Amino acid sequence: MNPAQLADRVAAVRAFNRLYTSVIGVLDEGPADAEYSLPEARVLFELAHQDPLPVTDLRNRLDLDAGYASRLLARLESRGLIARERSEEDARRQLVRPTAAGRDAFAVLNRRSTDQIGGLLRRFADEDQQRLLTAMRTIGDLVGDRRRDPLLVLRPPRPGDLGWVVERHGALYAREYGFDARFEALVARIVADFAETHDDQRQAFWIAELDGGRVGSIACTRGPEADTAKLRLLLLEPSARGHGVGKRLVTECVEFAKAHGYRAMELSTVSVLAAARSLYRAAGFELVEETGFDDWGLELTEEIWRLQF
């Protein structure tokens, strides 16, 4: 990245920060007679979701130093919203819990926040709401603390998903392997063929989601022989790697083929796709054929892998 590019990108992040800060300011203002500061509201939120909560855990979650946390908890305790006590298992640990008044206060704050954010979202059409939420998830994935157990869902494609599969194949494989537009054109033809025969009960398509965001795909289609299925369009976003998404997609595809009467499954890949080849090998596929070609702007080796049921 050259200095001019860096300067442009820094300016873009700063512009986003100013916009984001203004939006959050509106959402956090509340009524003119709001009783609680933002740190106080955050404490009540954490306690509403874990009761009791060790003070050290609370400090870590909210990134508070010991002195400020002590003063903050003292204010809330003086107002009858929280209570502090020693842990029965370890007297050195202090626990904090909400009182009945604290739970009531949180209910009011939670309702107010829901109304404010709902009002913001209602300014946009449903499609734009989804775009906004996807962008938020992307930022969270890149700069936030990654969860160890994001929710993985495999589902059939919805309107717009097939176009996404084509676009992501083209973008990812161009960036990571240098495949040219002919590869994306091939993916588009495969997707179009599936769309035209989507009511075929012996074919299926899955979109993988992690925490509601699209991260992968796979399809089971008819193969070259009546009793042979074909695994196609395996895609995995870089952000999803390490969460078992690829293994789950391949397993789902293989089990579908078995359940629908196929006796074998084949797939075509290229030798440079090491991660995908590892998934296929782990699922029991065996390499049965290799052929050199240069259709996508590079000299590559096509591989045919086969799994007998």
Side-chain angles (χ1 to χ4, degrees), residues 68-84:
Y68 181 76
S70 179
R71 294 191 296 274
L72 178 60
L73 294 177
R75 288 202 304 271
L76 291 171
E77 190 172 30
S78 69
R79 298 171 68 177
L81 300 175
I82 67 165
R84 288 183 282 184

Side-chain angles (χ1 to χ4, degrees), residues 38-309:
L38 179 57
E40 290 171 340
R42 293 181 67 195
V43 168
L44 293 175
F45 176 87
E46 294 295 337
L47 296 182
H49 291 83
Q50 184 177 340
D51 174 14
L53 181 63
V55 171
T56 52
D57 290 358
L58 178 65
R59 285 175 47 208
N60 290 335
R61 292 185 190 184
L62 301 183
D63 194 24
L64 303 175
D65 67 62
Y68 181 76
S70 179
R71 294 191 296 274
L72 178 60
L73 294 177
R75 288 202 304 271
L76 291 171
E77 190 172 30
S78 69
R79 298 171 68 177
L81 300 175
I82 67 165
R84 288 183 282 184
E85 60 192 39
R86 292 292 173 185
S87 168
E88 293 181 359
E89 289 82 15
D90 185 349
R92 294 170 299 178
R93 300 184 71 198
Q94 188 179 59
L95 305 177
V96 58
R97 64 171 69 247
T99 63
R103 285 189 287 271
D104 290 342
F106 169 74
V108 172
L109 290 170
N110 192 49
R111 184 167 59 251
R112 180 188 303 159
S113 177
T114 298
D115 291 343
Q116 289 173 326
I117 296 173
L120 172 66
L121 291 174
R122 282 191 292 272
R123 292 164 48 189
F124 307 107
D126 182 71
E127 180 179 351
D128 288 336
Q129 290 183 25
Q130 294 300 326
R131 289 176 57 204
L132 176 64
L133 296 173
T134 298
M136 288 178 170
R137 282 191 291 266
T138 299
I139 293 172
D141 287 343
L142 291 173
V143 303
D145 293 330
R146 306 274 314 259
R147 287 174 49 190
R148 292 183 178 274
D149 56 345
L151 177 63
L152 171 60
V153 173
L154 302 188
R155 60 167 177 78
R158 299 170 184 156
D161 284 335
L162 297 184
W164 174 82
V165 169
V166 175
E167 185 271 332
R168 295 312 295 157
H169 269 87
L172 286 175
Y173 284 89
R175 186 178 73 210
E176 297 193 357
Y177 300 101
F179 294 178
D180 66 20
R182 288 172 289 183
F183 171 72
E184 188 171 353
L186 171 64
V187 174
R189 287 194 294 272
I190 296 170
V191 168
D193 289 343
F194 176 85
E196 291 177 357
T197 58
H198 68 278
D199 55 350
D200 186 338
Q201 297 302 307
R202 298 188 78 202
Q203 298 192 130
F205 206 117
W206 294 269
I207 299 295
E209 291 184 343
L210 277 180
D211 286 343
R214 294 178 298 198
V215 296
S217 69
I218 201 168
C220 176
T221 67
R222 291 181 181 271
E225 303 164 1
D227 64 350
T228 301
K230 196 155 187 177
L231 184 155
R232 313 198 83 167
L233 301 174
L234 175 63
L235 172 72
L236 189 63
E237 291 280 5
S239 62
R241 293 168 188 168
H243 292 292
V245 180
K247 179 180 179 181
R248 173 77 181 278
L249 283 166
V250 172
T251 299
E252 192 79 12
C253 194
V254 169
E255 292 304 316
F256 175 89
K258 290 180 180 178
H260 286 77
Y262 292 106
R263 304 293 299 277
M265 182 169 241
E266 285 190 356
L267 64 90
S268 171
T269 188
V270 290
S271 59
V272 297
L273 304 183
R277 295 169 77 253
S278 295
L279 287 171
Y280 302 144
R281 186 177 290 109
F285 285 86
E286 296 181 352
L287 177 62
V288 297
E289 185 179 338
E290 295 178 284
T291 307
F293 76 108
D294 60 357
D295 289 356
W296 305 334
L298 301 168
E299 291 187 4
L300 298 165
T301 300
E302 180 185 18
E303 298 180 343
I304 305 299
W305 293 64
R306 186 174 178 88
L307 173 62
Q308 292 290 144
F309 300 151

